[in-house]
Structures are given as C-alpha cells and as structure tokens.
Amino acid sequence: MDTLNGTTEQRHKFTVKYRQEYYDLSNFMHKHPGGINTLKGLNQTDMTARFLKAPPHSDAAMYLMREYKISAQDYEGKKKTKERPSAAKLADNGIELLEQTKQSAEDSNNNQLDDSMEFLVDWSEAMLPQIGKITKHYDEWVHKPVDRPLRLFGPWYLEILTKTPWWIVPAFWIPSIIACGWQEFQENSHNMKGVSFTVLFSHILFGVLFWTLLEYSLHRWVFHVKLTSDSGPWLCTLHFMIHGLHHKVPFDPMRLVFPPLPGVILATVIYTPLYFILQNHHPRLILVGALVGYLGYDMIHYYLHYGSPSAGQHLYEMKRYHYQHHFAHQDLGYGISSPLWDIVFNTRIYLRKLKFQLKWA
C-alpha cells in the first residue's frame, strides 16, 4: 500500500532541478504566466539549460520561484514535505540577506534567484499590523511576489470580511444594476417619451467609458502611488490594504475581486457630485453604465488570473498583458479590461510575439 501511495504521490508531482536546487511546481503550473505548455517535458529533469535559453525572467518571477523550492530528498521521492526556512532562522540572518538582495538586483537576473526578504515579517501572524514596521523596505518587499496564505487581521470576524468569492460580485451587482436602471425609467418615463433609444443607450455607453478611465486612474495614481523609504506607516498600510497585498500574493483567489460594501461606498462618493453636475442628463443611466463597466472589470480581472482564454481572443492578450504588469512591468500596463488608456497615456506594455500559443489548462 505504501508503495502504491508513493507512486500515486509521485505521479501528481511536477518536480524539476535548476542550478543544483530542486523545485516542486505542482501547485504553480496552472498559475504560470507562460502557460503549462511552456513546462512540457520538464518533469523530473534538470531544466537549467532550457531555462537559460528562454527569454530572461524578471526579478519578480525569479523571486517567486523560491517559493517552490524543496529538498533533494523530496525531489527523489523520499520526503513529502516542503523545506522552507523558518521565520526565526531567516531573522537571524536578516540584514545579511537584505544586503545580498540589493547586490543581486544589480546583476542580470535570468541566472540567479533573489535572496528572500520575507524575514522582515512573520507570515504566521496578522500582516496588516506589521506593515508599519517595515516602511523603509516596504516598496521593495511588496513588489516581490510569494505564493502562500496571507492573513490580514488577527480576529477571525475581521479577517473574513477581507475575503470575497468571485460569485458574490455578480450576485450583488447585477440585481443592483437592474434595480437602478428600472427605477430611472419608472421615475422619468413621462420625460422619456420623446427621447430615442439611441440617446438613452449613449448615456449607458458613456458610463462604461467613464468607468474605464476611472479604472485606469485608480490603478495608476492610487493603487500604484509612488512610495519611498520615507513613506509613513499609515500610507504603507493603506497601500497594502487596497492593492499592495494583491501584488504580494497575486494568486489568492479570495482577494481578486472588490468586496461589495467598500464598492458601494466608492460608488456613492463618485456618483454624488456627478448627480448634481449631470442631473439634467440622466445621471442614473450613466451610473448604470459605470456599474456595468465595473462588473465587467472585476470579472475579467478574476478570469485573467484563473481562466484559460484561447489564442486570438481579446482576453488571451489581456491575460498576457496583466501578467506582464504583475511580474515584469509594474509601472506600466494599468488597464485590466482594455489597454485603451495605456495607449492614450503612453503606459502601454508591448508584448513580444510568440512562436507557440500559451495554454493555462
């Protein structure tokens, strides 16, 4: 029975060797920005030569790779647990590791793995209270992704509020959008008799376009506000809470969509002044369009991380585009649902041509 179980366990693993180190990529394959077919034929092999011939990997990608490091014994099937340095062990060598990290950043990165900065925090404790203590290194640390569970708050009743399954968003917003649009038509039906459907639809379309600009603006100038080693604890903590955590743990499926409650607050703050400015131009229909745009954005964002679009589709290009934003060009590519405003504001990421189609499932 043990032999049978060991065989089954080995069959489900996807382990590789790189520069005398060993990695279990089983839980990473479907997340790999380059697709699962890029890893084809590498199981139980030394991938060093093939890896070095590939296009250079970014610092962030190389940093992420260390998350999947295992022992030589595990690679040979003699162990079943990952070997990951303890927080205490990393803390003992913390300053030395940080200096090594800065030194390695000066070199071309396709050959080396960044040394860890995770000694700065304790991953077994709530993360949010710790951010204010690492402000000097926060901006560098938050842009080095990991693949591990993240706990924001200590109390469970606060922590549960930070997690949102993707289906909650359409379940809440679709009825809200319908109700909002229906109420607008009901209250103003007597004023709409002479208004064409084209005019009404144009208001909704304007709302969608308004959202795309808002999406870009928030992502670029709020979510990616420029931080320095002198940024205060409150600013770093706020940044981590609203977007930094997504770059630190980009594969957390429960933190890929915006929770409805803060979404309602944000919509109210933005809509209130627009209502008074556009009150003679069906502002509620513009709101409907903006909410439709937001709903599309949030669903697209989740799909870009966990979906497998086919080559030739818009979402196929946007998945590649968004992964480039995460792992290579975090100061570019702010559009999620479309690169429109990246083109307008000259922050577009230019994707290289591939010799083969990527597949993520």
Side-chain angles (χ1 to χ4, degrees):
M1 183 63 70
D2 291 342
T3 302
L4 179 62
N5 289 341
T7 302
T8 302
E9 177 75 16
Q10 196 68 22
R11 187 164 58 239
H12 286 294
K13 283 188 175 182
F14 192 99
T15 54
V16 297
K17 181 180 180 181
Y18 173 70
R19 287 183 172 269
Q20 307 305 315
E21 301 288 354
Y22 303 93
Y23 303 87
D24 183 357
L25 305 181
S26 309
N27 295 325
F28 176 67
M29 292 183 66
H30 70 286
K31 307 170 185 174
H32 184 217
I36 58 175
N37 50 336
T38 308
L39 304 173
K40 186 177 180 180
L42 291 178
N43 192 20
Q44 293 289 313
T45 66
D46 187 333
M47 71 171 190
T48 306
R50 184 164 151 184
F51 190 89
L52 295 179
K53 290 180 181 178
H57 285 64
S58 66
D59 292 345
M62 298 301 294
Y63 190 88
L64 177 64
M65 186 174 174
R66 66 182 295 117
E67 289 291 284
Y68 309 103
K69 187 176 179 181
I70 58 175
S71 66
Q73 292 90 340
D74 199 5
Y75 177 76
E76 298 295 337
K78 296 178 181 179
K79 289 186 177 181
K80 295 184 179 180
T81 57
K82 284 188 179 182
E83 184 179 72
R84 178 177 287 171
S86 65
K89 183 177 179 181
L90 288 175
D92 291 339
N93 301 287
I95 303 302
E96 179 182 354
L97 284 170
L98 184 57
E99 293 303 319
Q100 292 173 351
T101 299
K102 293 180 178 179
Q103 181 63 42
S104 65
E106 299 174 359
D107 305 322
S108 178
N109 199 2
N110 202 36
N111 301 328
Q112 302 293 333
L113 295 176
D114 283 345
D115 289 295
S116 178
M117 295 183 71
E118 302 316 311
F119 66 87
L120 292 171
V121 295
D122 185 350
W123 281 89
S124 65
E125 299 293 333
M127 190 61 66
L128 207 59
Q130 301 182 64
I131 300 301
K133 302 174 183 177
I134 63 169
T135 55
K136 183 178 180 180
H137 306 294
Y138 170 76
D139 189 57
E140 183 181 2
W141 171 82
V142 80
H143 290 105
K144 292 181 178 291
V146 296
D147 186 5
R148 58 180 75 180
L150 167 71
R151 186 178 187 88
L152 269 182
F153 295 99
W156 67 268
Y157 50 86
L158 291 179
E159 179 65 11
I160 198 171
L161 296 177
T162 70
K163 298 181 178 182
T164 309
W166 71 266
W167 55 267
I168 289 290
V169 172
F172 176 85
W173 285 111
I174 289 177
S176 301
I177 292 170
I178 294 174
C180 185
W182 179 252
Q183 188 175 10
E184 173 72 8
F185 279 100
Q186 286 287 93
E187 292 181 1
N188 297 283
S189 58
H190 60 285
N191 295 325
M192 293 184 176
K193 292 180 180 179
V195 181
S196 69
F197 175 80
T198 302
V199 172
L200 298 179
F201 182 75
S202 66
H203 283 74
I204 296 176
L205 191 61
F206 176 79
V208 174
L209 184 64
F210 171 76
W211 164 258
T212 62
L213 178 59
L214 183 62
E215 169 195 322
Y216 177 90
S217 301
L218 288 174
H219 195 186
R220 179 177 180 180
W221 289 297
V222 179
F223 296 167
H224 282 271
V225 61
K226 299 299 182 182
L227 299 174
T228 68
S229 58
D230 296 324
S231 296
W234 282 104
L235 181 58
C236 291
T237 301
L238 178 63
H239 176 269
F240 187 75
M241 187 165 56
I242 63 175
H243 194 64
L245 66 90
H246 177 53
H247 275 263
K248 190 63 184 178
V249 286
F251 304 121
D252 188 338
M254 298 293 283
R255 293 191 173 101
L256 286 178
V257 295
F258 206 59
L261 180 57
V264 170
I265 296 174
L266 182 62
T268 303
V269 170
I270 295 173
Y271 175 70
T272 300
L274 288 179
Y275 174 80
F276 290 103
I277 296 172
L278 304 172
Q279 55 183 315
N280 295 322
H281 299 278
H282 308 294
R284 201 173 292 170
L285 288 182
I286 296 175
L287 174 64
V288 167
L291 292 178
V292 168
Y294 156 71
L295 179 60
Y297 147 80
D298 231 356
M299 295 299 93
I300 287 173
H301 185 217
Y302 187 90
Y303 186 75
L304 295 185
H305 278 267
Y306 276 93
S308 181
S310 300
Q313 297 180 356
H314 171 68
L315 293 182
Y316 174 87
E317 297 302 322
M318 290 311 299
K319 184 177 178 79
R320 292 185 59 208
Y321 192 83
H322 188 56
Y323 270 153
Q324 284 292 308
H325 168 73
H326 266 284
F327 299 106
H329 304 287
Q330 295 177 345
D331 57 345
L332 298 171
Y334 300 106
I336 306 297
S337 52
S338 166
L340 170 64
W341 297 106
D342 281 314
I343 297 172
V344 172
F345 292 106
N346 197 30
T347 54
R348 183 181 182 183
I349 298 173
Y350 291 90
L351 302 175
R352 64 184 179 88
K353 293 183 178 180
L354 301 176
K355 297 180 180 180
F356 56 89
Q357 298 177 358
L358 302 182
K359 298 179 180 179
W360 291 276

PDB file of all heavy atoms in Angstrom, residues 10 14 80 83-84 96 100 110 115 129 132 140-142 152 155 181 194 218 243-244 292 294 297 306-307 349:
ATOM      1  N   GLN A  10       3.954  10.499  -6.427  1.00  0.00           N
ATOM      2  CA  GLN A  10       4.973  10.912  -7.375  1.00  0.00           C
ATOM      3  C   GLN A  10       4.357  11.304  -8.712  1.00  0.00           C
ATOM      4  O   GLN A  10       4.815  12.221  -9.380  1.00  0.00           O
ATOM      5  CB  GLN A  10       5.975   9.761  -7.576  1.00  0.00           C
ATOM      6  CG  GLN A  10       7.278  10.190  -8.234  1.00  0.00           C
ATOM      7  CD  GLN A  10       8.089  11.078  -7.317  1.00  0.00           C
ATOM      8  OE1 GLN A  10       7.911  11.065  -6.114  1.00  0.00           O
ATOM      9  NE2 GLN A  10       8.954  11.883  -7.902  1.00  0.00           N
ATOM     10  N   PHE A  14       5.163  17.559  -9.889  1.00  0.00           N
ATOM     11  CA  PHE A  14       5.890  18.056 -11.058  1.00  0.00           C
ATOM     12  C   PHE A  14       7.138  18.718 -10.510  1.00  0.00           C
ATOM     13  O   PHE A  14       7.115  19.874 -10.085  1.00  0.00           O
ATOM     14  CB  PHE A  14       5.041  19.050 -11.857  1.00  0.00           C
ATOM     15  CG  PHE A  14       5.618  19.370 -13.212  1.00  0.00           C
ATOM     16  CD1 PHE A  14       5.139  18.753 -14.349  1.00  0.00           C
ATOM     17  CD2 PHE A  14       6.666  20.290 -13.346  1.00  0.00           C
ATOM     18  CE1 PHE A  14       5.661  19.036 -15.602  1.00  0.00           C
ATOM     19  CE2 PHE A  14       7.206  20.581 -14.582  1.00  0.00           C
ATOM     20  CZ  PHE A  14       6.698  19.949 -15.723  1.00  0.00           C
ATOM     21  N   LYS A  80       7.894  14.055   1.771  1.00  0.00           N
ATOM     22  CA  LYS A  80       6.639  14.571   1.232  1.00  0.00           C
ATOM     23  C   LYS A  80       6.368  16.007   1.641  1.00  0.00           C
ATOM     24  O   LYS A  80       5.343  16.555   1.293  1.00  0.00           O
ATOM     25  CB  LYS A  80       5.461  13.702   1.683  1.00  0.00           C
ATOM     26  CG  LYS A  80       5.510  12.296   1.128  1.00  0.00           C
ATOM     27  CD  LYS A  80       4.270  11.531   1.531  1.00  0.00           C
ATOM     28  CE  LYS A  80       4.288  10.126   0.953  1.00  0.00           C
ATOM     29  NZ  LYS A  80       3.081   9.363   1.328  1.00  0.00           N
ATOM     30  N   GLU A  83      10.655  22.026   2.129  1.00  0.00           N
ATOM     31  CA  GLU A  83      11.660  22.541   3.037  1.00  0.00           C
ATOM     32  C   GLU A  83      11.688  24.055   2.891  1.00  0.00           C
ATOM     33  O   GLU A  83      12.123  24.581   1.873  1.00  0.00           O
ATOM     34  CB  GLU A  83      13.027  21.956   2.688  1.00  0.00           C
ATOM     35  CG  GLU A  83      14.117  22.388   3.662  1.00  0.00           C
ATOM     36  CD  GLU A  83      15.457  21.771   3.298  1.00  0.00           C
ATOM     37  OE1 GLU A  83      16.050  22.191   2.297  1.00  0.00           O
ATOM     38  OE2 GLU A  83      15.893  20.854   4.005  1.00  0.00           O
ATOM     39  N   ARG A  84      11.188  24.734   3.894  1.00  0.00           N
ATOM     40  CA  ARG A  84      11.138  26.198   3.843  1.00  0.00           C
ATOM     41  C   ARG A  84      11.762  26.741   5.117  1.00  0.00           C
ATOM     42  O   ARG A  84      11.407  26.306   6.215  1.00  0.00           O
ATOM     43  CB  ARG A  84       9.699  26.681   3.732  1.00  0.00           C
ATOM     44  CG  ARG A  84       9.553  28.187   3.727  1.00  0.00           C
ATOM     45  CD  ARG A  84       8.125  28.591   3.551  1.00  0.00           C
ATOM     46  NE  ARG A  84       7.705  28.364   2.183  1.00  0.00           N
ATOM     47  CZ  ARG A  84       6.447  28.462   1.790  1.00  0.00           C
ATOM     48  NH1 ARG A  84       5.506  28.776   2.645  1.00  0.00           N
ATOM     49  NH2 ARG A  84       6.135  28.243   0.523  1.00  0.00           N
ATOM     50  N   GLU A  96      22.021  40.438   6.607  1.00  0.00           N
ATOM     51  CA  GLU A  96      22.903  39.895   5.571  1.00  0.00           C
ATOM     52  C   GLU A  96      22.112  39.540   4.321  1.00  0.00           C
ATOM     53  O   GLU A  96      22.545  39.811   3.195  1.00  0.00           O
ATOM     54  CB  GLU A  96      23.622  38.661   6.106  1.00  0.00           C
ATOM     55  CG  GLU A  96      24.559  38.019   5.082  1.00  0.00           C
ATOM     56  CD  GLU A  96      25.233  36.773   5.624  1.00  0.00           C
ATOM     57  OE1 GLU A  96      25.051  36.488   6.818  1.00  0.00           O
ATOM     58  OE2 GLU A  96      25.925  36.095   4.856  1.00  0.00           O
ATOM     59  N   GLN A 100      22.402  41.068   0.422  1.00  0.00           N
ATOM     60  CA  GLN A 100      22.585  40.182  -0.724  1.00  0.00           C
ATOM     61  C   GLN A 100      21.504  40.431  -1.767  1.00  0.00           C
ATOM     62  O   GLN A 100      21.751  40.364  -2.967  1.00  0.00           O
ATOM     63  CB  GLN A 100      22.555  38.721  -0.282  1.00  0.00           C
ATOM     64  CG  GLN A 100      23.759  38.327   0.564  1.00  0.00           C
ATOM     65  CD  GLN A 100      23.627  36.931   1.130  1.00  0.00           C
ATOM     66  OE1 GLN A 100      22.557  36.313   1.033  1.00  0.00           O
ATOM     67  NE2 GLN A 100      24.693  36.430   1.719  1.00  0.00           N
ATOM     68  N   ASN A 110      18.389  36.372 -15.079  1.00  0.00           N
ATOM     69  CA  ASN A 110      17.874  35.086 -15.549  1.00  0.00           C
ATOM     70  C   ASN A 110      18.665  33.912 -14.985  1.00  0.00           C
ATOM     71  O   ASN A 110      18.287  32.767 -15.165  1.00  0.00           O
ATOM     72  CB  ASN A 110      17.885  35.022 -17.078  1.00  0.00           C
ATOM     73  CG  ASN A 110      16.917  33.987 -17.593  1.00  0.00           C
ATOM     74  OD1 ASN A 110      15.853  33.799 -17.033  1.00  0.00           O
ATOM     75  ND2 ASN A 110      17.291  33.302 -18.653  1.00  0.00           N
ATOM     76  N   ASP A 115      17.608  36.678  -3.098  1.00  0.00           N
ATOM     77  CA  ASP A 115      17.541  36.231  -1.713  1.00  0.00           C
ATOM     78  C   ASP A 115      16.287  36.785  -1.060  1.00  0.00           C
ATOM     79  O   ASP A 115      15.828  37.870  -1.380  1.00  0.00           O
ATOM     80  CB  ASP A 115      18.790  36.690  -0.949  1.00  0.00           C
ATOM     81  CG  ASP A 115      20.026  35.931  -1.392  1.00  0.00           C
ATOM     82  OD1 ASP A 115      20.064  34.718  -1.174  1.00  0.00           O
ATOM     83  OD2 ASP A 115      20.929  36.566  -1.976  1.00  0.00           O
ATOM     84  N   PRO A 129      -0.837  44.689  10.842  1.00  0.00           N
ATOM     85  CA  PRO A 129      -0.131  45.419  11.905  1.00  0.00           C
ATOM     86  C   PRO A 129       1.383  45.473  11.712  1.00  0.00           C
ATOM     87  O   PRO A 129       2.054  46.301  12.338  1.00  0.00           O
ATOM     88  CB  PRO A 129      -0.491  44.626  13.172  1.00  0.00           C
ATOM     89  CG  PRO A 129      -1.723  43.867  12.819  1.00  0.00           C
ATOM     90  CD  PRO A 129      -1.586  43.534  11.371  1.00  0.00           C
ATOM     91  N   GLY A 132       3.508  48.710   9.101  1.00  0.00           N
ATOM     92  CA  GLY A 132       4.060  49.967   9.600  1.00  0.00           C
ATOM     93  C   GLY A 132       5.469  49.841  10.155  1.00  0.00           C
ATOM     94  O   GLY A 132       6.164  50.849  10.333  1.00  0.00           O
ATOM     95  N   GLU A 140       9.995  47.828  -1.853  1.00  0.00           N
ATOM     96  CA  GLU A 140      10.750  46.736  -2.483  1.00  0.00           C
ATOM     97  C   GLU A 140      10.133  45.384  -2.136  1.00  0.00           C
ATOM     98  O   GLU A 140       9.966  44.512  -2.986  1.00  0.00           O
ATOM     99  CB  GLU A 140      12.205  46.787  -2.027  1.00  0.00           C
ATOM    100  CG  GLU A 140      13.086  45.731  -2.682  1.00  0.00           C
ATOM    101  CD  GLU A 140      14.527  45.799  -2.197  1.00  0.00           C
ATOM    102  OE1 GLU A 140      14.832  46.634  -1.319  1.00  0.00           O
ATOM    103  OE2 GLU A 140      15.340  44.987  -2.689  1.00  0.00           O
ATOM    104  N   TRP A 141       9.772  45.210  -0.879  1.00  0.00           N
ATOM    105  CA  TRP A 141       9.215  43.933  -0.405  1.00  0.00           C
ATOM    106  C   TRP A 141       7.880  43.616  -1.055  1.00  0.00           C
ATOM    107  O   TRP A 141       7.644  42.485  -1.483  1.00  0.00           O
ATOM    108  CB  TRP A 141       9.062  43.992   1.119  1.00  0.00           C
ATOM    109  CG  TRP A 141       8.313  42.848   1.717  1.00  0.00           C
ATOM    110  CD1 TRP A 141       8.795  41.614   2.028  1.00  0.00           C
ATOM    111  CD2 TRP A 141       6.924  42.835   2.093  1.00  0.00           C
ATOM    112  NE1 TRP A 141       7.818  40.818   2.574  1.00  0.00           N
ATOM    113  CE2 TRP A 141       6.646  41.551   2.623  1.00  0.00           C
ATOM    114  CE3 TRP A 141       5.890  43.772   2.037  1.00  0.00           C
ATOM    115  CZ2 TRP A 141       5.376  41.199   3.080  1.00  0.00           C
ATOM    116  CZ3 TRP A 141       4.637  43.416   2.495  1.00  0.00           C
ATOM    117  CH2 TRP A 141       4.388  42.132   3.009  1.00  0.00           C
ATOM    118  N   VAL A 142       6.991  44.612  -1.163  1.00  0.00           N
ATOM    119  CA  VAL A 142       5.635  44.345  -1.634  1.00  0.00           C
ATOM    120  C   VAL A 142       5.604  43.975  -3.110  1.00  0.00           C
ATOM    121  O   VAL A 142       4.661  43.332  -3.574  1.00  0.00           O
ATOM    122  CB  VAL A 142       4.717  45.554  -1.354  1.00  0.00           C
ATOM    123  CG1 VAL A 142       4.897  46.654  -2.411  1.00  0.00           C
ATOM    124  CG2 VAL A 142       3.250  45.125  -1.289  1.00  0.00           C
ATOM    125  N   LEU A 152      -4.641  39.028   6.972  1.00  0.00           N
ATOM    126  CA  LEU A 152      -4.552  40.470   7.173  1.00  0.00           C
ATOM    127  C   LEU A 152      -4.768  40.870   8.626  1.00  0.00           C
ATOM    128  O   LEU A 152      -4.011  41.658   9.191  1.00  0.00           O
ATOM    129  CB  LEU A 152      -5.582  41.181   6.296  1.00  0.00           C
ATOM    130  CG  LEU A 152      -5.165  41.619   4.891  1.00  0.00           C
ATOM    131  CD1 LEU A 152      -6.310  42.347   4.213  1.00  0.00           C
ATOM    132  CD2 LEU A 152      -3.928  42.497   4.934  1.00  0.00           C
ATOM    133  N   PRO A 155      -8.250  38.938  14.487  1.00  0.00           N
ATOM    134  CA  PRO A 155      -9.594  38.413  14.791  1.00  0.00           C
ATOM    135  C   PRO A 155     -10.260  37.827  13.547  1.00  0.00           C
ATOM    136  O   PRO A 155     -10.256  38.446  12.481  1.00  0.00           O
ATOM    137  CB  PRO A 155     -10.346  39.659  15.287  1.00  0.00           C
ATOM    138  CG  PRO A 155      -9.277  40.601  15.744  1.00  0.00           C
ATOM    139  CD  PRO A 155      -8.126  40.375  14.828  1.00  0.00           C
ATOM    140  N   GLY A 181     -31.482  50.894 -12.987  1.00  0.00           N
ATOM    141  CA  GLY A 181     -31.962  51.255 -14.324  1.00  0.00           C
ATOM    142  C   GLY A 181     -33.478  51.299 -14.395  1.00  0.00           C
ATOM    143  O   GLY A 181     -34.060  52.220 -14.985  1.00  0.00           O
ATOM    144  N   GLY A 194     -40.097  61.371 -25.721  1.00  0.00           N
ATOM    145  CA  GLY A 194     -39.520  61.924 -26.932  1.00  0.00           C
ATOM    146  C   GLY A 194     -38.043  61.649 -27.080  1.00  0.00           C
ATOM    147  O   GLY A 194     -37.404  62.184 -27.989  1.00  0.00           O
ATOM    148  N   LEU A 218      -7.547  55.045 -11.010  1.00  0.00           N
ATOM    149  CA  LEU A 218      -7.391  54.457  -9.675  1.00  0.00           C
ATOM    150  C   LEU A 218      -6.190  53.534  -9.627  1.00  0.00           C
ATOM    151  O   LEU A 218      -5.398  53.558  -8.678  1.00  0.00           O
ATOM    152  CB  LEU A 218      -8.661  53.707  -9.279  1.00  0.00           C
ATOM    153  CG  LEU A 218      -9.888  54.560  -8.946  1.00  0.00           C
ATOM    154  CD1 LEU A 218     -11.109  53.663  -8.728  1.00  0.00           C
ATOM    155  CD2 LEU A 218      -9.642  55.410  -7.701  1.00  0.00           C
ATOM    156  N   HIS A 243      -4.245  47.539  -2.327  1.00  0.00           N
ATOM    157  CA  HIS A 243      -3.715  46.935  -3.551  1.00  0.00           C
ATOM    158  C   HIS A 243      -2.386  46.208  -3.380  1.00  0.00           C
ATOM    159  O   HIS A 243      -2.099  45.269  -4.118  1.00  0.00           O
ATOM    160  CB  HIS A 243      -3.547  48.009  -4.633  1.00  0.00           C
ATOM    161  CG  HIS A 243      -3.321  47.438  -6.005  1.00  0.00           C
ATOM    162  ND1 HIS A 243      -4.270  46.669  -6.655  1.00  0.00           N
ATOM    163  CD2 HIS A 243      -2.251  47.514  -6.856  1.00  0.00           C
ATOM    164  CE1 HIS A 243      -3.806  46.305  -7.843  1.00  0.00           C
ATOM    165  NE2 HIS A 243      -2.587  46.802  -7.991  1.00  0.00           N
ATOM    166  N   GLY A 244      -1.577  46.645  -2.433  1.00  0.00           N
ATOM    167  CA  GLY A 244      -0.263  46.035  -2.260  1.00  0.00           C
ATOM    168  C   GLY A 244      -0.331  44.544  -2.021  1.00  0.00           C
ATOM    169  O   GLY A 244       0.481  43.769  -2.535  1.00  0.00           O
ATOM    170  N   VAL A 292     -21.932  48.649 -14.862  1.00  0.00           N
ATOM    171  CA  VAL A 292     -21.740  47.560 -15.827  1.00  0.00           C
ATOM    172  C   VAL A 292     -20.247  47.433 -16.170  1.00  0.00           C
ATOM    173  O   VAL A 292     -19.697  46.332 -16.236  1.00  0.00           O
ATOM    174  CB  VAL A 292     -22.567  47.802 -17.102  1.00  0.00           C
ATOM    175  CG1 VAL A 292     -22.148  46.835 -18.213  1.00  0.00           C
ATOM    176  CG2 VAL A 292     -24.054  47.645 -16.804  1.00  0.00           C
ATOM    177  N   TYR A 294     -17.733  48.412 -14.279  1.00  0.00           N
ATOM    178  CA  TYR A 294     -17.036  47.878 -13.105  1.00  0.00           C
ATOM    179  C   TYR A 294     -17.223  46.373 -12.978  1.00  0.00           C
ATOM    180  O   TYR A 294     -16.256  45.631 -12.716  1.00  0.00           O
ATOM    181  CB  TYR A 294     -17.530  48.551 -11.823  1.00  0.00           C
ATOM    182  CG  TYR A 294     -17.293  47.682 -10.621  1.00  0.00           C
ATOM    183  CD1 TYR A 294     -16.000  47.470 -10.149  1.00  0.00           C
ATOM    184  CD2 TYR A 294     -18.343  46.996 -10.003  1.00  0.00           C
ATOM    185  CE1 TYR A 294     -15.771  46.620  -9.079  1.00  0.00           C
ATOM    186  CE2 TYR A 294     -18.119  46.158  -8.951  1.00  0.00           C
ATOM    187  CZ  TYR A 294     -16.826  45.971  -8.478  1.00  0.00           C
ATOM    188  OH  TYR A 294     -16.590  45.106  -7.434  1.00  0.00           O
ATOM    189  N   TYR A 297     -15.106  44.637 -15.396  1.00  0.00           N
ATOM    190  CA  TYR A 297     -13.705  44.715 -14.967  1.00  0.00           C
ATOM    191  C   TYR A 297     -13.369  43.676 -13.903  1.00  0.00           C
ATOM    192  O   TYR A 297     -12.371  42.963 -13.994  1.00  0.00           O
ATOM    193  CB  TYR A 297     -13.412  46.122 -14.441  1.00  0.00           C
ATOM    194  CG  TYR A 297     -12.411  46.174 -13.318  1.00  0.00           C
ATOM    195  CD1 TYR A 297     -11.040  46.112 -13.573  1.00  0.00           C
ATOM    196  CD2 TYR A 297     -12.841  46.273 -11.985  1.00  0.00           C
ATOM    197  CE1 TYR A 297     -10.128  46.141 -12.535  1.00  0.00           C
ATOM    198  CE2 TYR A 297     -11.936  46.307 -10.949  1.00  0.00           C
ATOM    199  CZ  TYR A 297     -10.576  46.238 -11.224  1.00  0.00           C
ATOM    200  OH  TYR A 297      -9.671  46.260 -10.198  1.00  0.00           O
ATOM    201  N   TYR A 306      -7.267  33.260 -13.269  1.00  0.00           N
ATOM    202  CA  TYR A 306      -7.603  31.841 -13.134  1.00  0.00           C
ATOM    203  C   TYR A 306      -8.262  31.224 -14.359  1.00  0.00           C
ATOM    204  O   TYR A 306      -8.535  30.024 -14.375  1.00  0.00           O
ATOM    205  CB  TYR A 306      -8.490  31.634 -11.899  1.00  0.00           C
ATOM    206  CG  TYR A 306      -7.678  31.512 -10.639  1.00  0.00           C
ATOM    207  CD1 TYR A 306      -7.404  32.636  -9.855  1.00  0.00           C
ATOM    208  CD2 TYR A 306      -7.138  30.296 -10.242  1.00  0.00           C
ATOM    209  CE1 TYR A 306      -6.625  32.536  -8.703  1.00  0.00           C
ATOM    210  CE2 TYR A 306      -6.364  30.189  -9.101  1.00  0.00           C
ATOM    211  CZ  TYR A 306      -6.109  31.304  -8.331  1.00  0.00           C
ATOM    212  OH  TYR A 306      -5.332  31.200  -7.208  1.00  0.00           O
ATOM    213  N   GLY A 307      -8.512  31.998 -15.398  1.00  0.00           N
ATOM    214  CA  GLY A 307      -9.108  31.453 -16.609  1.00  0.00           C
ATOM    215  C   GLY A 307      -8.057  31.001 -17.606  1.00  0.00           C
ATOM    216  O   GLY A 307      -6.857  31.235 -17.440  1.00  0.00           O
ATOM    217  N   ILE A 349       2.170  48.285 -22.404  1.00  0.00           N
ATOM    218  CA  ILE A 349       3.166  47.217 -22.445  1.00  0.00           C
ATOM    219  C   ILE A 349       3.097  46.565 -23.818  1.00  0.00           C
ATOM    220  O   ILE A 349       2.015  46.179 -24.271  1.00  0.00           O
ATOM    221  CB  ILE A 349       2.898  46.155 -21.357  1.00  0.00           C
ATOM    222  CG1 ILE A 349       2.991  46.781 -19.960  1.00  0.00           C
ATOM    223  CG2 ILE A 349       3.882  44.997 -21.483  1.00  0.00           C
ATOM    224  CD1 ILE A 349       2.566  45.836 -18.850  1.00  0.00           C
TER     225      ILE A 349
END
